[in-house]
Amino acid sequence: MGREKKKGTSGNVKAFISREKALKKLQLSLQEFRRLCILKGIYPRDPRKKFEGSDKTYYLRKDIDFLAHERLIGTIRQQNSHRKKVVKARSKRRIDILKRLALSAPKTRLDHLVLERYPNFVDAIRELDDPLCIVALFANLPADHNVGIAPERVSRCQCLLREFHNYVAHTNSLRRVFVSIKGYYFQADIMGESVTWITPHRFSQILPADVDYSVMLTFLELYECIMSFVNFRLYTSQNLAYPPKILRPADAKALELSSLVVEKTAKSDVDRRQGQGDGDKDEPNQLPAETVKIAEKLAMEAKNEEDDDDYEFDDEAPGNDPDMADGDESSSQAGRSGVFNGKSVVLGREVPYAELEFCLRAAGAEKVSREDDLTDTENRLSGYTHWIIDRPKVSGNRDMSLEYVQPQYVFDSINAGLLLPPSLYTPGAPLPPHLSPFVSEEDDGGYRPWFKDIIERIKAGDTSVVEEAAAVVYTEEAAKYDKTGDRKKKRTSEENNRRNEAVKDSQEVHNSSAANTKEVVDKDLEMEIENSSHDTAEETVAKELDNRIDDGSAQGADKKDEEPEDDEDEEGEEEKISKSNSERMDKEGRDMATLMLSRKKMRQYQKHKRMEDHKLATRDKLTQKRKRLEAARAEREANKAKRKRQ
């Protein structure tokens, strides 16, 4: 016989551990354990045999052993100890101790987690989609301390996103743009990898109450650190100073990319920091010293890897000089020409400025200005080539040297890779379809939009296709209006048919009732003739004629009375239809006005609505109570009267 195995030394019991035992082993709370698992990338597992019950959550034992050696656990314990000291000093009202504790608060460092997750810089670029989407989301959310979103967090996300957009615009790396109801989809080509992210529309956001913001904020904490490393590495690879300087007057006007000053350096950012020493301590938005040190180490390792790969490819190639590697990459990417290369654009006050400025600068536009920033001189539009406008028509005098186009012109031109004819995007004109560059014919079941063929013909140099495309667009718009008119005519004819059927039904009911009345009258006449023996035949005939005359006059009166009732029914139906349409339009208008409210106005509106609902509910309760009291009083009086009669 073999040696008997001890219980718990092999199988699922050895490979897995329940969450309750993991918390006890690590001596952490559930919230701290969840945060640590998110930061380290550890997820629950589903063993085939759940040895402690199916209602438990299981983890790999080796993952928990890996977490036991994490330095963040020590930081968490230091923070818990520091929090207890703060509570104790606050209860004793020791202001001096509180000030000292505020300066010595332990901070969480996530730099080592970035190095663990991404040994190579290309790996970080390849998985940059999620960090960019989360950072862009929180950059457009309002600060709310109730859910843990601090204003400093929102400002930090806005800064990181703006720095990344500035790099994409500087290197002309933007490849695809698509505008949907969710926001703006962007795709850039960075170091040979496609990075796709979405930026939400800049509307007043309402934070839903059924979202766990603590989980999202934990992910954001990690993604902020990743974005800091990525931005630092991208800027240093182009020999650009990081972080870029911010022009305070332009930043106060919310000029986005125009407020950033990109400075080129003759040597790498690492050498620049070593040469300046402690001179960068007062620079705004400066990264911590430990983060900079690790990022510089990562940058040097990535640079050495690139140099080694170049030498393995061709040792005698003139472009493989390790001292010129970053410079060649910078010149090659910065030298790309976009579709708006050399163009100067004016953005109207009604268009989305931040997204259009980013797209235009990434497409090579030389100058992008807002309508409000133009001077009032006569030559204020000299040098400009395009004016992006989203109004039905151009207000004021139209400058014939400018091309007035709608915002879709910018996005479609970037996706097409060339400047499309501006005549298709004139203000107030129906626009061609905005095609998604992320959907191919194979994904869409072999369907090929007609405007895609138009773009291919424009690329081939066919100038006659512009009039054809405009004719197709106008035809589609006319078809839409015709369909709307047909629907209205169909609805009107259906209503008329229903009314005619109702009139016919009422006439049939009236005729059947008249016939029944006539039969009853005839029977009564026969009974009277049989019973009255003293009446002569002439008197009987006269009575019958008189009765029939009376019946005819009564039927005529009934018809006259029913005809206006039918008219009244038709008028009532029309009034109901018009009333329902007006109520629906009023409701849509109220909903649209509610969406356009600011956050403060929205809170006031919701408070007012709750008060009105409370008033209506109270009034209904009082009305029902009064009805019950009146019914009880009437019942008592009836019982009293009944007793008196008895």
Side-chain angles (χ1 to χ4, degrees):
M1 294 179 63
R3 188 174 181 180
E4 184 179 359
K5 292 183 179 180
K6 292 184 179 180
K7 186 178 180 180
T9 57
S10 62
N12 287 341
V13 180
K14 182 68 175 178
F16 296 94
I17 185 173
S18 64
R19 187 175 64 183
E20 184 179 355
K21 290 184 178 180
L23 294 177
K24 188 175 181 180
K25 180 178 181 179
L26 298 176
Q27 297 182 4
L28 296 173
S29 64
L30 180 59
Q31 184 178 3
E32 295 169 349
F33 178 74
R34 285 176 175 172
R35 178 170 175 266
L36 191 61
C37 288
I38 290 174
L39 295 177
K40 294 290 289 184
I42 294 175
Y43 300 94
R45 305 290 178 168
D46 188 18
R48 287 182 295 180
K49 183 178 179 181
K50 299 176 175 58
F51 50 89
E52 290 191 11
S54 59
D55 58 339
K56 303 290 184 181
T57 304
Y58 297 91
Y59 292 85
L60 284 175
R61 189 178 293 273
K62 62 179 182 180
D63 289 341
I64 302 302
D65 295 338
F66 178 63
L67 280 181
H69 300 282
E70 176 57 41
R71 69 178 74 173
L72 286 177
I73 295 179
T75 305
I76 291 173
R77 290 169 181 165
Q78 292 176 6
Q79 290 175 348
N80 292 336
S81 177
H82 181 269
R83 194 179 301 111
K84 293 178 182 178
K85 293 178 182 178
V86 171
V87 172
K88 184 177 180 180
R90 187 180 291 113
S91 63
K92 293 184 177 182
R93 298 182 180 179
R94 296 294 301 274
I95 306 300
D96 54 341
I97 298 179
L98 287 174
K99 291 181 180 179
R100 179 169 52 82
L101 290 174
L103 296 175
S104 62
K107 297 181 180 179
T108 305
R109 309 294 305 172
L110 304 179
D111 305 333
H112 63 287
L113 297 181
V114 179
L115 293 176
E116 289 177 2
R117 280 175 174 257
Y118 310 111
N120 298 324
F121 182 64
V122 179
D123 298 334
I125 295 295
R126 192 177 294 115
E127 297 185 7
L128 198 61
D129 296 355
D130 289 341
L132 270 175
C133 292
I134 293 295
V135 169
L137 173 64
F138 276 88
N140 290 275
L141 287 182
D144 192 348
H145 291 284
N146 296 328
V147 297
I149 303 177
E152 297 80 10
R153 209 75 179 272
V154 177
S155 301
R156 179 62 176 162
C157 291
Q158 292 174 353
C159 181
L160 290 172
L161 184 64
R162 183 167 56 174
E163 290 171 356
F164 181 78
H165 283 181
N166 187 38
Y167 169 81
V168 174
H170 180 75
T171 57
N172 296 335
S173 303
L174 187 63
R175 295 294 174 264
R176 295 177 179 178
V177 187
F178 181 68
V179 185
S180 72
I181 193 172
K182 293 183 178 180
Y184 299 87
Y185 288 86
F186 300 109
Q187 187 178 84
D189 184 13
I190 300 176
M191 300 185 69
E193 298 291 338
S194 295
V195 180
T196 307
W197 71 99
I198 179 174
T199 301
H201 295 285
R202 301 203 174 193
F203 295 149
S204 179
Q205 304 291 340
I206 300 176
L207 300 177
D210 56 346
V211 177
D212 191 356
Y213 292 96
S214 60
V215 175
M216 298 181 66
L217 289 171
T218 304
F219 276 103
L220 178 64
E221 185 180 1
L222 176 63
Y223 291 158
E224 282 180 348
C225 187
I226 294 174
M227 287 298 301
S228 299
F229 275 99
V230 169
N231 287 347
F232 177 84
R233 178 69 180 92
L234 291 176
Y235 274 75
T236 54
S237 66
Q238 298 294 318
N239 290 333
L240 302 176
Y242 184 82
K245 292 184 179 180
I246 299 177
L247 298 176
R248 298 303 175 187
D251 187 48
K253 295 180 180 179
L255 290 182
E256 296 295 330
L257 300 184
S258 300
S259 62
L260 297 180
V261 178
V262 180
E263 295 181 350
K264 275 192 168 290
T265 56
K267 50 185 178 179
S268 65
D269 195 29
V270 178
D271 298 336
R272 182 180 65 83
R273 291 183 181 275
Q274 291 177 354
Q276 290 181 354
D278 298 334
D280 291 340
K281 290 184 179 180
D282 298 333
E283 187 176 352
N285 296 329
Q286 187 70 27
L287 292 174
E290 186 178 353
T291 303
V292 172
K293 187 181 295 184
I294 297 176
E296 290 171 353
K297 181 181 177 181
L298 182 64
M300 293 297 294
E301 291 177 356
K303 180 179 177 182
N304 293 333
E305 291 177 1
E306 293 175 0
D307 295 341
D308 293 340
D309 294 340
D310 291 340
Y311 278 112
E312 290 176 1
F313 179 74
D314 189 1
D315 293 338
E316 298 180 358
N320 289 336
D321 188 0
D323 297 332
M324 298 296 293
D326 289 342
D328 293 341
E329 182 184 359
S330 174
S331 60
S332 63
Q333 291 191 3
R336 294 173 182 169
S337 60
V339 295
F340 285 91
N341 189 25
K343 306 296 182 182
S344 298
V345 185
V346 179
L347 300 179
R349 61 174 62 95
E350 70 280 353
V351 302
Y353 170 73
E355 289 75 14
L356 282 175
E357 183 197 19
F358 167 58
C359 292
L360 288 169
R361 290 191 178 276
E366 183 178 353
K367 187 177 181 181
V368 180
S369 302
R370 294 190 303 187
E371 179 183 358
D372 297 334
D373 297 335
L374 297 176
T375 59
D376 295 334
T377 59
E378 295 181 357
N379 299 327
R380 65 189 187 119
L381 296 177
S382 61
Y384 289 98
T385 57
H386 293 78
W387 188 309
I388 311 298
I389 186 173
D390 198 12
R391 305 172 196 166
K393 60 180 180 179
V394 180
S395 59
N397 297 327
R398 185 165 185 166
D399 194 334
M400 302 307 295
S401 63
L402 294 178
E403 294 286 354
Y404 292 87
V405 292
Q406 300 187 44
Q408 185 180 332
Y409 173 76
V410 178
F411 307 130
D412 289 351
S413 297
I414 293 176
N415 294 333
L418 78 163
L419 287 178
L420 296 176
S423 58
L424 296 175
Y425 301 88
T426 55
L431 291 171
H434 180 48
L435 304 180
S436 173
F438 300 97
V439 179
S440 61
E441 296 182 18
E442 292 78 10
D443 298 335
D444 207 8
Y447 171 71
R448 183 179 178 85
W450 65 268
F451 191 62
K452 198 168 186 179
D453 297 331
I454 297 293
I455 293 176
E456 295 297 333
R457 292 172 61 183
I458 292 174
K459 290 181 180 180
D462 189 358
T463 58
S464 62
V465 75
V466 179
E467 298 179 357
E468 180 181 346
V472 172
V473 171
Y474 278 105
T475 303
E476 289 184 351
E477 290 294 323
K480 289 181 182 178
Y481 286 116
D482 292 341
K483 289 180 180 179
T484 306
D486 293 339
R487 284 196 295 269
K488 289 182 179 179
K489 292 178 181 178
K490 185 178 180 181
R491 186 167 59 250
T492 305
S493 62
E494 290 177 355
E495 292 176 358
N496 293 333
N497 293 333
R498 286 197 299 270
R499 291 175 184 173
N500 294 332
E501 290 176 359
V503 171
K504 289 180 180 179
D505 293 339
S506 62
Q507 289 178 355
E508 291 177 358
V509 171
H510 173 71
N511 294 333
S512 61
S513 62
N516 295 332
T517 305
K518 185 178 180 181
E519 292 177 359
V520 172
V521 169
D522 293 340
K523 289 181 180 180
D524 293 339
L525 287 173
E526 292 176 358
M527 294 293 293
E528 289 180 0
I529 292 170
E530 292 177 358
N531 295 331
S532 59
S533 58
H534 59 278
D535 291 339
T536 61
E538 291 80 1
E539 292 176 350
T540 304
V541 173
K543 288 181 179 179
E544 183 178 356
L545 290 174
D546 293 337
N547 292 331
R548 291 186 178 182
I549 290 171
D550 294 337
D551 292 337
S553 61
Q555 291 176 5
D558 293 338
K559 288 183 180 179
K560 290 180 180 179
D561 293 338
E562 288 181 358
E563 287 177 357
E565 287 181 0
D566 296 338
D567 296 337
E568 290 177 359
D569 293 339
E570 293 179 2
E571 293 177 358
E573 290 181 1
E574 292 178 356
E575 290 179 358
K576 288 180 181 179
I577 293 172
S578 61
K579 187 176 180 181
S580 62
N581 291 334
S582 61
E583 289 178 355
R584 179 175 56 81
M585 294 178 66
D586 293 340
K587 186 176 182 302
E588 291 178 356
R590 287 195 301 270
D591 295 341
M592 183 60 67
T594 304
L595 290 174
M596 299 302 293
L597 290 176
S598 62
R599 193 165 63 253
K600 183 177 180 181
K601 295 290 185 182
M602 178 62 71
R603 288 197 297 267
Q604 294 177 355
Y605 172 74
Q606 291 176 351
K607 183 178 179 181
H608 175 72
K609 192 174 181 181
R610 287 195 298 269
M611 292 175 63
E612 291 294 330
D613 295 340
H614 180 68
K615 288 180 181 178
L616 292 175
T618 305
R619 187 178 64 183
D620 294 340
K621 289 181 181 179
L622 293 175
T623 303
Q624 294 176 1
K625 185 177 180 181
R626 185 179 63 184
K627 289 181 179 179
R628 288 197 301 270
L629 292 175
E630 290 178 354
R633 184 172 59 185
E635 186 178 358
R636 286 196 303 270
E637 291 178 354
N639 293 334
K640 188 184 294 184
K642 187 176 181 181
R643 285 196 299 270
K644 286 182 179 180
R645 286 195 300 270
Q646 291 177 356

